[in-house]
Amino acid sequence: MSKPTLTEADLTTIAERVPALDPFPTRPWNRERLLAAVLDLYLKAKTNADREAFQRALGAIQVLDALIRLRARDDE
């Protein structure tokens, strides 16, 4: 029995429902673009709130990465 895989549409839907990612581009799903926007926040952060928002967003991306790895297709 094969395990289900996540599509780009699935990842977009999940990312759109994560409050920590609200200020960032999540539609359509593009991890590189999302990560670049989060890293830009880090570089421009001036307050503790900015740094905390960066940490929350980075954590959300790490969770999405774990889901992708969990549901990645085994081609071997």
Side-chain angles (χ1 to χ4, degrees):
M1 180 188 235
S2 66
K3 61 184 175 182
T5 58
L6 292 171
T7 65
E8 285 187 16
D10 295 332
L11 291 167
T12 297
T13 300
I14 294 167
E16 287 179 329
R17 291 191 168 112
V18 176
L21 298 178
D22 282 348
F24 303 103
T26 56
R27 179 173 284 278
W29 174 254
N30 183 315
R31 183 190 184 279
E32 288 75 25
R33 185 179 56 150
L34 175 59
L35 187 57
V38 171
L39 291 175
D40 188 53
L41 171 64
Y42 173 75
L43 293 173
K44 294 178 180 177
K46 293 186 180 353
T47 66
N48 279 340
D50 290 341
R51 288 185 281 280
E52 289 171 4
F54 162 76
Q55 288 294 332
R56 286 190 300 274
L58 186 60
I61 292 171
Q62 290 171 333
V63 170
L64 287 167
D65 285 345
L67 285 172
I68 292 167
R69 283 192 305 276
L70 181 66
R71 295 295 177 203
R73 181 170 292 159
D74 293 327
D75 291 333
E76 300 170 8

